[in-house]
Amino acid sequence: MATARDLMHTGCTCIKSNDTAANTARMMAELDVGSMPICGAEDDKLHGMVTDRDLVLQVMAKGHDPETYTVDRLPQGHLFLADANEDVDITIAKMKEHQINRLPVIDQGRLVGIISIGDIAHRMPESVTGDLVGAIKA
């Protein structure tokens, strides 16, 4: 049985919850990513996700100073997660149901990886990837 751990990519960089929007944007640019997990400054547990769109719409467009606005102030909706040991079919079903492109993977409450559509495209049959993309774009 393949698990979420088999699909995920590791080496994810977390932005700390007390870090600024400006630093988050710089880190996203450096890593060439469009989203990053937010981990607690004190507990290092996953608190949420921040996207480049969040930074533009919630910080810049509202006139906040990105050098002082901390990412823990960003509105966080429900965070969907995959358990590292769950079956890949469950993981992909979550992504389809909630129409999400990236899914953080946790093991005992700690972030261990992220699954993106690209990860699924590299590790699963083309039909699975096509179904997922179709569900997300619907």
Side-chain angles (χ1 to χ4, degrees), residues 18-116:
N18 62 354
D19 218 331
T20 66
N23 191 52
T24 302
R26 285 189 284 271
M27 192 173 293
M28 284 179 171
E30 181 182 313
L31 297 172
D32 192 29
V33 296
S35 70
M36 291 188 72
I38 302 170
C39 292
E42 301 297 323
D43 62 9
D44 206 36
K45 289 190 177 183
L46 184 63
H47 286 215
M49 293 288 289
V50 59
T51 66
D52 47 8
R53 187 172 196 272
D54 294 331
L55 298 176
V56 170
L57 298 179
Q58 299 298 323
V59 181
M60 302 301 295
K62 292 186 177 178
H64 298 293
D65 179 359
E67 294 293 346
T68 60
Y69 191 95
T70 56
V71 293
D72 61 350
R73 294 172 55 196
L74 289 168
Q76 292 293 316
H78 183 76
L79 182 61
F80 297 102
L81 305 168
D83 183 274
N85 298 311
E86 75 185 21
D87 186 274
V88 295
D89 292 335
I90 294 170
T91 302
I92 293 169
K94 285 180 188 177
M95 294 176 79
K96 284 180 181 179
E97 178 183 352
H98 303 292
Q99 298 180 305
I100 50 179
N101 295 314
R102 294 171 199 87
L103 189 64
V105 181
I106 59 167
D107 189 6
Q108 298 181 358
R110 301 268 186 231
L111 180 70
V112 293
I114 292 182
I115 297 172
S116 69

